[in-house]
């Protein structure tokens, strides 16, 4: 199914070996990888992308931190994609990410106060502040997360609620500059202990995405089939397949 030349494969294996050696001084925290095919509707599946992640738990100067290294073949096949450090200091969570592709540094801080989680994230020149909390509406619990993009002057509200074994969600974006708004709705359900189905619809553009995740098809791996389509252009439908595994 997957086609990859030796010339293209060498940089991948070299970077994998480098990352493993660079992080070999402490116990592994989390390692994962995923391999994605190209559009299955396009006349046969072939290698499309490879992503990998290595994690370590370290102690630096008495401060416990988690180091995570990511590789993305499509973004930058000859170098690592990013390195991040995350942890907690005095009940404040932090995550600092350095992108080797763009050179940007992203900083995110989180803190929980009286059942509300407050977050602030700086990515380049943009700062996003948000708050998330579970509220009770009638007899139903709803997860609410409003956020504000300072530079762009955009507001976003995310809502999610469980309906038995299913869940529904909605995301509303509002641009205060133009007065335009965008809505996205979602639905997810568990088909079995190892299979789940989710769907996301953007009403304005009529774009639909359906995702089937199966962790029982193959031991030690998770397979994800994703179908994307436009409700007004069925010919543009696309199906991709992804295999993810941890070690």
């Amino acid at each position: 199914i997957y086609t990859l030349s030796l010339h293209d494969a060498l940089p991948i294996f070299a970077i994998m070996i480098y990352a493993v050696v660079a992080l070999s001084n402490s116990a592994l925290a989390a390692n994962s990888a995923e391999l994605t095919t190209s559009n299955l509707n396009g006349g046969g599946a072939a290698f499309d992308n490879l992503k990998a992640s290595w994690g370590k738990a370290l102690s630096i100067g008495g401060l416990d931190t988690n180091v995570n290294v990511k590789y993305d073949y499509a973004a930058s096949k000859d170098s690592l994609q990013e390195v991040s450090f995350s942890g907690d200091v005095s009940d404040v969570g932090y995550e600092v990410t350095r992108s080797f592709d763009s050179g940007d540094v992203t900083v995110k801080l989180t803190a929980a106060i009286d059942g509300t989680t407050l977050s602030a994230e700086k990515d380049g020149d943009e700062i996003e502040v948000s708050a998330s909390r579970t509220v009770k509406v009638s007899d139903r619990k709803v997860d609410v997360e409003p956020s504000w993009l300072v530079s762009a002057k955009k507001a976003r509200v995310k809502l999610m609620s469980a309906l038995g074994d299913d869940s529904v969600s909605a995301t509303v974006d509002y641009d205060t500059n133009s007065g335009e708004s965008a809505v996205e709705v979602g639905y997810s359900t568990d088909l079995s202990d190892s299979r789940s189905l989710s769907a996301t619809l953007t009403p304005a553009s009529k774009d639909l995405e359906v995702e089937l995740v199966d962790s029982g098809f193959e031991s030690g791996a998770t397979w994800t089939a994703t179908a994307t389509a436009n409700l007004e252009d069925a010919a543009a439908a696309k199906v991709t397949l992804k295999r993810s595994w941890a070690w």
Side-chain angles (χ1 to χ4, degrees):
I1 296 178
Y2 310 112
T3 58
L4 183 65
S5 69
L6 180 60
H7 176 268
D8 289 336
L10 287 176
I12 297 176
F13 298 128
I15 291 170
M16 286 183 174
I17 293 172
Y18 164 78
V20 172
V21 172
L23 296 175
S24 63
N25 293 327
S26 60
L28 288 172
N31 302 302
S32 63
E34 63 180 48
L35 193 62
T36 310
T37 71
S38 57
N39 183 17
L40 300 182
N41 291 350
F47 169 79
D48 185 60
N49 195 21
L50 171 66
K51 294 182 180 180
S53 175
W54 301 266
K56 293 288 185 180
L58 300 177
S59 180
I60 303 174
L63 175 66
D64 293 332
T65 187
N66 297 310
V67 183
N68 194 61
V69 177
K70 291 184 178 180
Y71 172 77
D72 188 323
Y73 178 84
S76 180
K77 68 178 182 180
D78 295 323
S79 67
L80 297 176
Q81 180 189 21
E82 66 178 39
V83 174
S84 63
F85 297 85
S86 61
D88 295 280
V89 177
S90 301
D91 297 326
V92 176
Y94 68 88
E95 182 175 354
V96 181
T97 303
R98 163 74 176 185
S99 171
F100 291 98
D101 182 30
S102 63
D104 293 337
V105 176
T106 302
V107 180
K108 183 176 182 179
L109 302 175
T110 58
I113 303 175
D114 295 330
T116 299
T117 300
L118 304 176
S119 300
E121 181 174 350
K122 185 179 186 304
D123 186 356
D125 295 329
E126 185 60 79
I127 297 176
E128 181 177 4
V129 292
S130 64
S132 60
R133 185 181 181 90
T134 300
V135 299
K136 196 168 184 179
V137 180
S138 184
D139 60 345
R140 193 174 303 283
K141 291 183 178 180
V142 180
D143 294 332
V144 182
E145 183 180 343
S147 62
W148 174 253
L149 279 70
V150 178
S151 297
K153 295 182 179 180
K154 292 183 179 181
R156 169 174 292 175
V157 178
K158 295 180 181 180
L159 305 171
M160 186 175 68
S161 180
L163 297 175
D165 295 332
D166 306 335
S167 66
V168 293
S169 63
T171 301
V172 181
D173 290 331
Y174 177 71
D175 189 334
T176 60
N177 295 306
S178 63
E180 297 180 351
S181 61
V183 179
E184 181 181 274
V185 294
Y187 168 81
S188 63
T189 184
D190 291 329
L191 302 177
S192 66
D193 292 338
S194 61
R195 289 190 300 165
S196 62
L197 179 70
S198 62
T200 303
L201 174 66
T202 305
S205 61
K206 294 182 172 56
D207 288 327
L208 175 66
E209 178 178 291
V210 179
E211 184 176 88
L212 176 64
V213 180
D214 192 334
S215 59
F217 175 73
E218 178 188 357
S219 178
T222 298
W223 287 84
T224 303
T226 304
T228 56
N230 185 278
L231 300 183
E232 294 183 339
D233 185 11
K238 180 180 180 181
V239 179
T240 59
L241 190 63
K242 178 175 68 179
R243 180 185 187 270
S244 307
W245 67 98
W247 73 90

